[in-house]
Amino acid sequence: MKFADRRFGNPASSQSYVVRVLVLTGAGVSAESGIPTFRGKAGYWRHIDPTKLATPEAFARDPQLVWDWYRERRQGIRNARPNAAHAAIARLAQCTDDFLLVTQNVDDLHARAGVAAEKMVKIHGDIFVTRCSHSEFCRRDYDQEHEHEHEVRIPTCSKCGAFMRPGVVWFGEQLPRNELERVEKFLDSGACDVVIVAGTTATFGYIIDWALRGSRDGGKLIEVNPEETPLSRFATRLVREPAAIALPPIVDELVGSRSSIL
Ligand code: OAD
Ligand code: ZN
């Protein structure tokens, strides 16, 4: 099949062809759902820089403080709703044959907007998971009731007694092996027609690396971010708008017309 013959479409229909899309998201995509980003003044919590709380050192020094921060964030996320950016990405996932979303967000808004688990990699973990800091034991703490029980103290592991910690990746920690392998497998199995990078400062080298590897062979690299990032100079298209405004028309364009994207 020639590249120009490919198109987006409903995978269930006989008209759909293989189109590969990679989407990389960060905190900016959830900003319009009222969830603060990490960097920038708005991200500060009790006058503390969040990038100083999301560390193993902060947890070792003051686990109660770190838990207070995560509990407050969990509550904020439970109360939040997916926005138009999450909805647009979910639509794109449905209309693309070969799709992967790699999100750095630990919230569940992409899932609630309808992106299936097998099309999404949560590379920095899941805020609703509570896991032992020593053993493999972990559980999912989505229920408000459950959360309430532990509200004022640091949860401990029922297997080994050690402190439990949020199931997220902190600075200086390894990325989860399984999730990493899923990203590598997707990238190894072919170049993408389109890579969209939305709402991330692209601070981490692996985000830049994945965006560039995904768009090798002439794929489009679209950045959606009101501000410049280290990835901007590589983008084939820069959209300096909030994600909830920018993404719906971009997805319409990608899904609706073969000539505009390919
Ligand atoms: P940041 O807080 O670093 O960056 C948010 C980005 O979103 C910035 O580039 C903003 O310009 C942009 N932004 C803000 N509002 C936006 C909007 N409405 N629409 C689109 N973009 C908007 O968040 P991340 O890049 O996700 O990791 O941070 C990466 C990682 O660093 C996080 O996953 C977390 C953090 O420390 C760990 O905890 C390991
Ligand atoms: Zn344990």
Side-chain angles (χ1 to χ4, degrees):
M1 186 198 313
K2 288 214 320 274
F3 186 66
D5 292 335
R6 301 176 186 176
R7 47 160 286 168
F8 286 81
N10 180 346
S13 89
S14 57
Q15 290 187 310
S16 87
Y17 299 87
V18 175
V19 172
R20 308 196 83 226
V21 175
L22 173 67
V23 178
L24 299 161
T25 64
V29 162
S30 294
E32 286 149 283
S33 292
I35 298 173
T37 58
F38 285 84
R39 294 172 182 83
K41 278 281 166 217
Y44 274 58
W45 177 80
R46 295 189 194 169
H47 306 291
I48 309 173
D49 176 353
T51 60
K52 304 224 156 55
L53 282 168
T55 67
E57 293 75 26
F59 189 70
R61 201 182 319 120
D62 194 345
Q64 182 73 62
L65 179 76
V66 173
W67 263 114
D68 286 351
W69 180 52
Y70 277 96
R71 286 205 181 94
E72 211 169 294
R73 287 176 61 203
R74 281 179 173 181
Q75 200 49 47
I77 292 163
R78 284 190 193 95
N79 295 338
R81 296 174 55 177
N83 64 51
H86 298 105
I89 292 167
R91 176 165 176 244
L92 186 58
Q94 267 157 16
C95 296
T96 308
D97 289 328
D98 208 0
F99 177 94
L100 190 69
L101 165 64
V102 180
T103 185
Q104 298 163 86
N105 298 344
V106 295
D107 65 48
D108 62 348
L109 298 181
H110 282 301
R112 275 201 265 153
V115 180
E118 65 271 17
K119 293 190 176 183
M120 171 167 49
V121 167
K122 291 179 73 69
I123 201 68
H124 289 167
D126 179 340
I127 197 169
F128 291 110
V129 167
T130 299
R131 68 174 166 88
C132 179
S133 49
H134 282 198
S135 69
E136 296 293 298
F137 180 70
C138 70
R139 63 168 191 244
R140 200 171 154 79
D141 274 347
Y142 192 79
D143 275 350
Q144 234 140 334
E145 273 57 42
H146 201 129
E147 188 69 20
H148 197 70
E149 283 174 32
H150 301 280
E151 204 165 61
V152 287
R153 54 189 181 85
I154 303 155
T156 51
C157 176
S158 58
K159 302 268 185 276
C160 76
F163 282 152
M164 302 279 277
R165 53 165 283 180
V168 300
V169 177
W170 283 330
F171 284 102
E173 293 186 320
Q174 303 269 321
L175 297 175
R177 185 194 297 257
N178 283 352
E179 301 299 273
L180 204 48
E181 279 172 5
R182 290 178 60 207
V183 181
E184 292 295 334
K185 196 171 155 217
F186 184 84
L187 288 169
D188 284 349
S189 58
C192 300
D193 302 299
V194 180
V195 176
I196 300 177
V197 184
T200 178
T201 43
T203 315
F204 300 114
Y206 47 86
I207 298 297
I208 297 176
D209 177 47
W210 293 338
L212 297 183
R213 276 167 65 197
S215 58
R216 67 187 186 264
D217 281 356
K220 292 193 188 294
L221 176 53
I222 305 173
E223 180 178 68
V224 176
N225 196 314
E227 288 176 30
E228 191 175 342
T229 79
L231 201 62
S232 302
R233 68 193 180 94
F234 300 108
T236 54
R237 181 167 163 194
L238 289 168
V239 187
R240 297 260 174 262
E241 279 180 326
I245 292 175
L247 280 170
I250 291 173
V251 169
D252 280 348
E253 189 186 318
L254 292 177
V255 171
S257 144
R258 74 198 283 179
S259 57
S260 64
I261 59 128
L262 298 177

